[in-house]
């Protein structure tokens, strides 16, 4: 079958299964990479009316709390050399962004890979790395801890968030699980989540295939995890990465934008001497709690509203003038919706 | 940040591998994987290899999924 026929086959099958199901169901995807493909190819618009596909908190920059962001920016403002992934640079803090501090003081460095931080460390021995990301990216931070680089960690774990979302305001019937988080944690990490789930790859066909499998599981009441990305995901995951995570991080309660403090959902640096939150506690205790703004990122991340329903979207909040993390990050729902014309 | 790229290993030097993805050569860190060989395909994320791409078993499993979908389609049309 050629690509077009395969896609039509999936859509046809999804329609049949949706008819069998009859009632409205909601499936949630929690991976910024998947959000991007779904919006780019208009996948939501071709699903049957009773299948609602919503975006969840799949963007690690977006789910970092405003307070943590303000803390990170304050360290930079105090002339401490900072290394960060690029999409953190323009996230608005309560007063400035890291990009503003970079322009003012020049001590903020954008990196693609944590290996670059080691080079920076030669010049700036007290450099601090902002560890943002889910389980896919946290192992790259362990590399820095092994090399005695200080870290401010806001790394977060996906399965605990999935469980909390199931208890939330939106009734979720199934999940499309993140692709590369699953590469690290393995499919077995999701076994306690009591709805059907599918892991998919990153093409329109793979996502449609994943949705097809997922709605069938929902129809059949099969609470299982199907691995639709077997070339990159195994049942056990990457054991070496998992060992490094356990060696260098403790699992702690963590604040997620929009979801509040979730128990055992974050990773904290074990070694006190490499934990920037401890080393610079005297600076960070002066950071005030952020004020409430009209930004609705929190509700967007929970799947309560779509970006188009936020009063600031496109009117005030645009990629050039972002009001919140969801518009800044490449994987943010608002940035993605804006990119594809919603 | 979620995106990961498949690439082929050309050289291995300690914990760094020189890889080829679609003609672009790059150095990546392979400390998160074990027993890699030249010619292996790996998935790269943020400058690190995170998984060896096992093409053979992946192909087999994908075939199984295709058959599963075909069977379930027959089920729905027979129902």
């Amino acid at each position: 079958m050629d690509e077009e026929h395969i896609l039509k086959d999936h859509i046809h099958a999804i329609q049949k299964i949706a008819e069998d199901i009859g009632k409205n169901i909601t499936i949630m995807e929690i991976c910024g990479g998947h959000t991007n493909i779904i919006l780019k190819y208009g996948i939501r618009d071709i699903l049957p009316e009773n299948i609602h596909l919503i975006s969840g908190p799949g963007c690690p920059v977006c789910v970092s709390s405003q307070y943590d962001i303000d803390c990170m920016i304050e360290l930079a403002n105090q002339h401490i050399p900072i290394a960060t992934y690029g999409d953190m640079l323009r996230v608005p803090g309560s007063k400035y962004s890291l990009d503003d501090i970079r322009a003012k003081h020049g001590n903020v460095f954008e990196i693609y890979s944590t290996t670059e931080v080691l080079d920076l460390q030669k010049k700036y021995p007290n450099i601090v790395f902002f560890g943002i990301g889910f389980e896919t990216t946290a192992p790259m931070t362990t590399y820095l801890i092994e090399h005695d680089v200080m870290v401010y960690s806001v790394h977060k774990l996906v399965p605990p968030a999935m469980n909390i979302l199931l208890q939330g305001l939106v009734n979720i019937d199934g999940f499309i699980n993140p692709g590369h988080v699953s590469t690290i944690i393995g499919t077995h990490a999701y076994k306690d989540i009591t709805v059907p789930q599918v892991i998919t790859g990153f093409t329109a066909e793979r996502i449609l295939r994943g949705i097809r499998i997922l709605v069938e599981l929902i129809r059949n009441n099969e609470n299982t995890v199907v691995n639709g990305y077997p070339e990159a995901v195994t049942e056990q995951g990457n054991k070496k990465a998992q060992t490094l995570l356990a060696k260098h991080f403790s699992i702690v309660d963590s604040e997620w934008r929009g979801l509040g403090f979730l128990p055992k959902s974050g990773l904290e640096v074990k070694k006190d001497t490499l934990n920037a939150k401890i080393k610079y506690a005297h600076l960070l205790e002066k950071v005030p709690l952020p004020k409430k703004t009209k930004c609705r990122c929190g509700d967007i991340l929970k799947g309560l509203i779509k970006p188009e329903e936020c009063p600031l979207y496109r009117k005030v909040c645009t990629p050039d003038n972002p009001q919140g993390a969801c518009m800044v990050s490449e994987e943010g729902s608002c940035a993605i919706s804006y990119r594809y014309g919603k | 940040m979620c995106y990961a790229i498949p690439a082929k290993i050309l050289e291995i030097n300690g914990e760094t591998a020189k890889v080829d993805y679609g003609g672009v050569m790059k150095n990546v860190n392979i400390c998160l994987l074990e027993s890699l060989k030249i010619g292996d395909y790996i998935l790269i994320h943020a400058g690190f290899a995170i998984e060896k791409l096992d093409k053979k078993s992946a192909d087999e499993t994908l075939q199984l999924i295709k058959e599963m979908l075909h069977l379930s389609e027959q089920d729905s049309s027979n129902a």
Side-chain angles (χ1 to χ4, degrees), chain A residues 9 31 36 87 112-114 136-137 140 143 180 183 206 209 212-213 216 227 231-232 238 240 244 331, chain B residues 1-4 15 29 31-34 43 45-48 50-51 53 58 62 65 69 72-73 77:
Chain A
D9 191 58
C31 171
N36 197 46
D87 52 356
Y112 160 71
S113 165
T114 52
T136 332
T137 318
M140 290 79 189
Y143 177 78
H180 300 122
T183 300
R206 298 301 285 271
R209 187 200 307 180
R212 175 180 176 171
I213 294 171
E216 177 151 13
N227 182 1
E231 66 271 39
N238 182 326
K240 198 166 179 192
L244 285 167
E331 298 181 319
Chain B
M1 189 117 345
C2 210
Y3 291 116
E15 68 173 26
N29 192 297
C31 74
L32 297 176
L33 295 175
E34 302 207 286
L43 201 60
H45 172 77
F48 284 72
I50 57 171
E51 189 55 86
L53 291 173
L62 286 171
I65 292 180
L69 293 172
S72 76
E73 196 190 281
S77 59

Side-chain angles (χ1 to χ4, degrees), chain A residues 132-245:
Chain A
I132 295 157
F134 296 127
E135 293 96 326
T136 332
T137 318
M140 290 79 189
T141 303
T142 66
Y143 177 78
L144 292 181
I145 298 172
E146 299 247 303
H147 287 85
D148 293 325
V149 176
M150 196 167 302
V151 169
Y152 187 112
S153 171
V154 292
H155 285 300
K156 294 187 177 3
L157 305 173
V158 171
M162 290 167 74
N163 266 321
I164 299 283
L165 287 164
L166 285 177
Q167 298 158 35
L169 292 167
V170 179
N171 197 44
I172 299 169
D173 298 291
F175 284 108
I176 302 174
N177 293 5
H180 300 122
V181 166
S182 304
T183 300
I184 301 293
I185 65 177
T187 62
H188 72 117
Y190 301 111
K191 63 181 183 344
D192 294 334
I193 294 164
T194 55
V195 291
Q197 302 151 66
V198 70
I199 299 161
T200 88
F202 292 87
T203 64
E205 189 275 324
R206 298 301 285 271
I207 290 181
L208 274 175
R209 187 200 307 180
I211 293 172
R212 175 180 176 171
I213 294 171
L214 185 59
V215 296
E216 177 151 13
L217 294 174
I218 294 171
R219 183 192 66 187
N220 299 348
N221 277 315
E222 283 181 66
N223 286 351
T224 186
V225 183
V226 170
N227 182 1
Y229 192 22
E231 66 271 39
V233 176
T234 61
E235 209 247 333
Q236 292 299 307
N238 182 326
K239 295 302 254 180
K240 198 166 179 192
Q242 290 167 29
T243 303
L244 285 167
L245 290 179

Side-chain angles (χ1 to χ4, degrees), chain B residues 47-62:
Chain B
F48 284 72
I50 57 171
E51 189 55 86
K52 189 165 133 180
L53 291 173
D54 183 346
K55 291 219 96 204
K56 185 173 179 289
S57 67
D59 283 346
E60 283 170 354
T61 318
L62 286 171

Side-chain angles (χ1 to χ4, degrees), chain A residues 257-275:
Chain A
R257 186 188 298 270
L259 299 175
F261 273 93
L262 304 191
K264 301 194 175 60
S265 66
L267 296 176
E268 191 54 87
V269 177
K270 268 185 182 168
K271 198 169 179 186
D272 284 357
T273 52
L274 294 179
N275 188 338

